[in-house]
Amino acid sequence: MGTIRFREVGKTYPGKEPVVALDRVNLEIGEGEFVALLGPSGCGKSTLLNLVAGFEDMTSGTLSFNGGAVSSPGPERAVVFQEAALLPWLTVAQNIAFGPSVQRKARAEYEPKIRELLRLVGLERFADALPSQLSGGMRQRVGIARALVMDPKALLMDEPFGALDAQTRMSMHQLLLDVWQSLGTTVLFVTHDIDEAILLADRICIMSARPGRITHEIAVELRRPRSVDQLTDPAFIRHKAEIMAEMRAAQKEHA
Ligand SMILES: Nc1ncnc2c1ncn2[C@@H]1O[C@H](COP(=O)(O)OP(=O)(O)OP(=O)(O)O)[C@@H](O)[C@H]1O
Ligand SMILES: [Mg+2]
């Protein structure tokens, strides 16, 4: 459950000057795997993630999730964006419960789940707070809980911590590592941030500038469970040097 498979996937946005956002992308993500997608702005990272989410249609190739074709959004593929678009008139607990309540699930069925998720993301004391009373990091934690409430098989994250300050981002990294460790959900994580990619992922796919292709893959050799202390690990520094060299080479090629 939670496997994602791209075969020769292309995506062109039509228009007077069509934009080739993805070109023959091949990518397989296994059950429970944590894959980071790293690349320069505009290389097609969000496009790739949006295809898995079912928000966009591809132009060529095939894309499957758990062996079935992806054609529309579904609760088994939850998305977390840079800004958690919370409903401002609902409390934290009500925001998390929004999905199941829209699906007309019985309250008794999801109520214990909401409590468990509030605990998992460290917001028990803020269950009745309104989004306006939360910090950016807390709002993003609600966003993660809201994604997890549907028991997704895959968590699709598009620069989820990009707007947070360094300190908050670090605590979110630890939180995500803990959540992933305890739930075993497949994660596709889009980022610009090399450190973040190495710290979190099992595998890093580097994309070239437009038209977006995956040009390089790195299996991260940091032991699990991970912690932010590993930022100074020799393996971490080795990976970072390799990725920076790869990205510089890709930039030169593009120039
Ligand atoms: N709806 C759209 N219509 C037309 N072109 C689009 C659309 N969405 C994205 N593009 C174009 O496709 C290319 C890839 O965009 P995408 O948003 O996937 O990049 P990205 O890697 O996520 O960039 P960033 O890191 O800045 O978020 C860009 O050139 C962008 O202008
Ligand atoms: Mg993007």
Side-chain angles (χ1 to χ4, degrees), residues 2-131:
T3 58
I4 301 168
R5 180 170 295 161
F6 283 78
R7 285 271 160 82
E8 299 286 304
V9 169
K11 169 71 182 177
T12 301
Y13 290 104
K16 212 158 75 199
E17 288 187 29
V19 177
V20 182
L22 296 176
D23 179 32
R24 285 169 292 156
V25 168
N26 289 294
L27 173 64
E28 289 195 18
I29 304 179
E31 178 179 351
E33 198 179 7
F34 196 129
V35 171
L37 206 57
L38 192 63
S41 183
C43 73
K45 302 181 296 296
S46 295
T47 299
L48 194 154
L49 184 135
N50 289 340
L51 288 178
V52 185
F55 297 152
E56 297 272 4
D57 291 323
M58 62 206 159
T59 313
S60 56
T62 56
L63 167 61
S64 64
F65 184 77
N66 286 336
V70 173
S71 56
S72 57
E76 72 285 1
R77 287 162 283 131
V79 184
V80 178
F81 295 110
Q82 186 163 350
E83 302 282 344
L86 305 177
L87 297 170
W89 60 89
L90 296 182
T91 66
V92 165
Q94 287 166 341
N95 264 285
I96 300 172
F98 188 72
S101 66
V102 165
Q103 289 200 330
R104 298 185 181 281
K105 290 207 167 135
R107 181 180 280 268
E109 199 184 307
Y110 62 77
E111 201 85 41
K113 185 94 199 268
I114 306 291
R115 272 200 300 278
E116 183 196 321
L117 285 169
L118 282 166
R119 189 187 50 74
L120 196 66
V121 300
L123 287 176
E124 294 133 303
R125 289 192 302 118
F126 294 89
D128 300 322
L130 289 168

Side-chain angles (χ1 to χ4, degrees), residues 121-144:
V121 300
L123 287 176
E124 294 133 303
R125 289 192 302 118
F126 294 89
D128 300 322
L130 289 168
S132 60
Q133 297 171 301
L134 306 179
S135 69
M138 290 158 86
R139 274 199 291 275
Q140 228 24 11
R141 283 190 263 162
V142 180
I144 292 172

Side-chain angles (χ1 to χ4, degrees), residues 35-246:
V35 171
L37 206 57
L38 192 63
S41 183
C43 73
K45 302 181 296 296
S46 295
T47 299
L48 194 154
L49 184 135
N50 289 340
L51 288 178
V52 185
F55 297 152
E56 297 272 4
D57 291 323
M58 62 206 159
T59 313
S60 56
T62 56
L63 167 61
S64 64
F65 184 77
N66 286 336
V70 173
S71 56
S72 57
E76 72 285 1
R77 287 162 283 131
V79 184
V80 178
F81 295 110
Q82 186 163 350
E83 302 282 344
L86 305 177
L87 297 170
W89 60 89
L90 296 182
T91 66
V92 165
Q94 287 166 341
N95 264 285
I96 300 172
F98 188 72
S101 66
V102 165
Q103 289 200 330
R104 298 185 181 281
K105 290 207 167 135
R107 181 180 280 268
E109 199 184 307
Y110 62 77
E111 201 85 41
K113 185 94 199 268
I114 306 291
R115 272 200 300 278
E116 183 196 321
L117 285 169
L118 282 166
R119 189 187 50 74
L120 196 66
V121 300
L123 287 176
E124 294 133 303
R125 289 192 302 118
F126 294 89
D128 300 322
L130 289 168
S132 60
Q133 297 171 301
L134 306 179
S135 69
M138 290 158 86
R139 274 199 291 275
Q140 228 24 11
R141 283 190 263 162
V142 180
I144 292 172
R146 188 183 49 182
L148 293 174
V149 76
M150 305 302 282
D151 283 324
K153 302 287 176 281
L155 207 48
L156 311 173
M157 309 185 88
D158 194 348
E159 303 195 42
F161 311 139
L164 304 176
D165 64 272
Q167 198 73 36
T168 308
R169 197 178 316 152
M170 228 185 259
S171 67
M172 294 301 292
H173 288 156
Q174 198 62 59
L175 175 99
L176 179 59
L177 285 168
D178 294 344
V179 166
W180 175 73
Q181 205 88 35
S182 71
L183 300 181
T185 317
T186 304
V187 179
L188 177 59
F189 190 99
V190 164
T191 181
H192 285 114
D193 185 328
I194 299 176
D195 288 8
E196 177 172 79
I198 303 171
L199 189 65
L200 299 176
D202 294 317
R203 189 151 54 99
I204 301 174
C205 297
I206 301 178
M207 288 181 73
S208 63
R210 244 170 359 102
R213 298 192 71 174
I214 294 170
T215 52
H216 198 72
E217 286 196 20
I218 291 175
V220 179
E221 291 163 2
L222 288 180
R223 69 190 145 68
R224 301 244 186 224
R226 302 253 177 97
S227 83
V228 290
D229 300 335
Q230 285 165 302
L231 283 165
T232 52
D233 196 292
F236 184 97
I237 292 165
R238 208 173 52 241
H239 285 313
K240 186 162 179 176
E242 184 186 352
I243 293 168
M244 286 174 75
E246 185 63 33

